[in-house]
């Protein structure tokens, strides 16, 4: 019999996980995913259970990396919350298993992993697809993902200007005061978007908040919200005129309202670009439509667990 799982909760995950490890690790994993080699990555399309009474969904996100010996599943619930609700909009828990025997080795907080791995993947998309001379970064939204995206984008790139837009000026101002570097607050989405080289949309909106008319030709957009087939963040014109990259083609056609409802063509997965199979069309306007993948969580959990074991061995 195996012993009980260790519990690794949010403060420890935050201490153990670093973007400097996560970004190269996820870049490798995205490439492996796009090989569609079952020994590298096995990841069924996640299941979504509607929590109708509570206006939410529970996603179950299993992934297995045979060559790395990593087996995990994340359970994540996300909700449409009323403005000002004290309840969190997303809550995640991750189970890391030993694939040889099937026992759960660790139960981990999944929130920090979700914030950090999503932002790290967006940063990889920007590294691959933004123009080298990019100077202005705009973030739409001021929640958890806005913060993690701010952290990794300012750690990895040297933007001359960072802007943030929220539907209320108060929240945009509060965001600016809570981060270490200079950020300009905007109460007009259009003004925040115009002239930006990179735009990250991390809102809970179900309608378009970013329109082609505002986006500078050649800009890179990382669209992270709108994770249901009838939810949107980007308008049809932007989706159709931009070159669209995704994390997973299967995920995008099943879950992305921006892809499904616009009828936009998916040009490539980020992994295809990493593998050299598809080009990074930096000179064009590009959209990376992110939905999140179980394999990103699995690789992140492995990093956390390895560091946890190293720390435990030193105690
Ligand atoms: N792609 C992925 O891998 C992935 C992973 C995690 C979360 N998400 C999605 O990213 C989005 C942000 O997640 P979060 O954890 O930061 O949530 P959060 O609740 O912490 O923040 C959401 C932000 O969106 C704003 N917002 C809400 N409704 C809006 C509207 N109608 N128009 C404009 N802004 C609005 C809120 O004011 C807040 O700033 C969510 O849609 C979530 O489902 C995607
Ligand atoms: O991949 C994820 O973890 C997220 C959770 C929330 C909804 C969208 N996808």
């Amino acid at each position: 019999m195996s012993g009980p799982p260790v519990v690794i909760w949010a403060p420890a995950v935050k201490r153990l996980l670093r973007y400097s490890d996560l970004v190269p690790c996820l870049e490798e994993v995205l490439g492996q995913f796009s090989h569609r080699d079952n020994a590298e990555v096995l990841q069924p399309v996640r299941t979504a259970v509607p929590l109708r009474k509570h206006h939410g969904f529970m996603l179950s996100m299993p992934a297995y990396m045979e060559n790395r010996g990593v087996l995990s599943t994340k359970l994540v619930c996300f909700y449409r919350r009323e403005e000002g609700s004290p309840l969190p909009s997303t809550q995640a828990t991750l189970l890391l298993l030993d694939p040889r025997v099937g026992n759960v080795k660790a139960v981990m907080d999944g929130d920090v992993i979700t914030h950090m791995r999503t932002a790290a993947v967006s940063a990889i998309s920007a590294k691959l697809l933004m123009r080298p001379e990019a100077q202005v970064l705009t973030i739409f939204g001021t929640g958890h993902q806005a913060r993690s995206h701010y952290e990794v984008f300012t750690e990895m790139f040297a933007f001359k200007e960072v802007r943030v837009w929220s539907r209320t000026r108060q929240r945009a101002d509060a965001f600016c005061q809570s981060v270490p570097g200079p950020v300009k607050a905007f109460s007009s989405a259009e003004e925040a978007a115009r002239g930006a080289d990179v735009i990250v949309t991390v809102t809970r909106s179900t309608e378009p908040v970013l329109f082609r008319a505002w986006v500078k030709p050649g800009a890179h957009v990382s669209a992270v919200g709108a994770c249901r087939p009838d939810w949107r963040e980007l308008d049809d014109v932007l989706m159709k005129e931009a070159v669209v990259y995704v994390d997973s083609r299967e995920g995008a056609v099943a879950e992305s309202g921006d892809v499904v409802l616009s009828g936009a063509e998916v040009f490539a997965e980020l992994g295809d670009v990493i593998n050299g199979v598809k080009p990074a069309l930096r000179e064009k306007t590009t959209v990376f439509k992110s939905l999140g993948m179980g394999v990103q969580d699995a690789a992140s959990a492995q990093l956390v667990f390895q560091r946890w074991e190293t720390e435990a061995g030193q105690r």
Side-chain angles (χ1 to χ4, degrees):
M1 281 294 286
S2 325
V6 296
V7 175
I8 309 178
W9 222 240
V13 176
K14 203 158 180 56
R15 190 181 71 249
L16 296 167
L17 201 55
R18 293 175 198 155
Y19 286 117
S20 52
D21 298 327
L22 193 55
V23 169
C25 169
L26 292 180
E27 205 166 330
E28 194 181 325
V29 163
L30 289 169
Q32 289 175 334
F33 173 77
S34 293
H35 283 144
R36 297 296 190 280
D37 174 349
N38 287 352
E40 281 189 331
V41 175
L42 250 183
Q43 180 195 275
V45 173
R46 61 194 175 192
T47 53
V49 177
L51 311 172
R52 226 174 346 177
K53 183 175 169 189
H54 304 288
H55 312 288
F57 295 88
M58 182 187 74
L59 303 180
S60 167
M61 302 176 61
Y64 179 38
M65 287 185 281
E66 188 175 274
N67 289 345
R68 290 185 190 224
V70 184
L71 175 65
S72 80
T73 191
K74 186 170 81 175
L75 294 176
V76 54
C77 293
F78 66 105
Y79 301 86
R80 291 184 73 163
R81 297 282 188 220
E82 294 299 323
E83 202 54 65
S85 165
L87 298 172
S89 61
T90 306
Q91 290 249 69
T93 307
L94 213 144
L95 303 182
L96 184 67
L97 296 96
D98 184 335
R100 295 167 304 175
V101 270
N103 63 305
V104 176
K105 293 194 291 186
V107 179
M108 286 183 202
D109 163 80
D111 289 340
V112 174
I113 286 180
T114 302
H115 303 155
M116 291 182 70
R117 64 77 151 137
T118 307
V121 171
S122 296
I124 293 168
S125 88
K127 188 180 128 186
L128 296 170
L129 298 172
M130 75 182 185
R131 291 193 169 188
E133 68 275 16
Q135 295 192 341
V136 179
L137 166 69
T138 292
I139 301 174
F140 274 23
T142 53
H144 291 100
Q145 290 291 341
R147 189 165 306 277
S148 55
H149 278 73
Y150 171 85
E151 283 166 6
V152 69
F153 274 69
T154 53
E155 185 175 312
M156 279 180 60
F157 310 113
F159 289 105
K160 290 218 169 85
E161 186 180 328
V162 182
R163 306 171 179 174
V164 70
W165 167 76
S166 170
R167 284 174 306 169
T168 71
R169 180 60 192 240
Q170 205 185 5
R171 272 198 300 268
D173 286 338
F175 182 88
C176 296
Q177 277 153 25
S178 69
V179 294
V183 185
K184 283 190 192 165
F186 284 75
S187 31
S188 154
E190 177 174 354
E191 283 172 23
R194 281 202 185 270
D197 301 293
V198 177
I199 305 173
V200 173
T201 60
V202 275
T203 74
R204 283 198 318 268
S205 185
T206 55
E207 308 290 335
V209 286
L210 180 65
F211 299 85
R212 167 67 185 91
W214 306 345
V215 176
K216 176 172 155 180
H220 172 62
V221 176
S222 197
V224 174
C227 297
R228 295 291 307 158
D230 54 348
W231 293 5
R232 304 293 302 266
E233 275 191 314
L234 313 184
D235 79 335
D236 282 353
V237 190
L238 178 54
M239 286 303 293
K240 284 195 166 150
E241 288 187 6
V243 184
V244 177
Y245 297 80
V246 296
D247 40 17
S248 143
R249 281 182 183 274
E250 294 89 337
V253 298
E255 291 185 346
S256 167
D258 286 328
V259 171
V260 174
L261 299 177
S262 68
E265 185 201 333
V266 172
F267 177 70
E269 291 180 346
L270 287 187
D272 296 327
V273 178
I274 291 161
N275 295 336
V277 171
K278 287 284 179 109
L281 299 174
R282 288 177 188 270
E283 69 287 0
K284 303 254 170 100
T285 304
T286 51
V287 166
F288 165 54
K289 177 57 218 159
S290 162
L291 287 154
M293 301 201 291
V295 69
Q296 298 163 0
D297 298 312
S300 307
Q302 186 188 32
L303 283 177
V304 170
F305 191 69
Q306 283 169 343
R307 283 194 172 268
W308 181 88
E309 279 186 312
T310 307
E311 268 194 4
Q314 288 163 354
R315 279 198 282 267

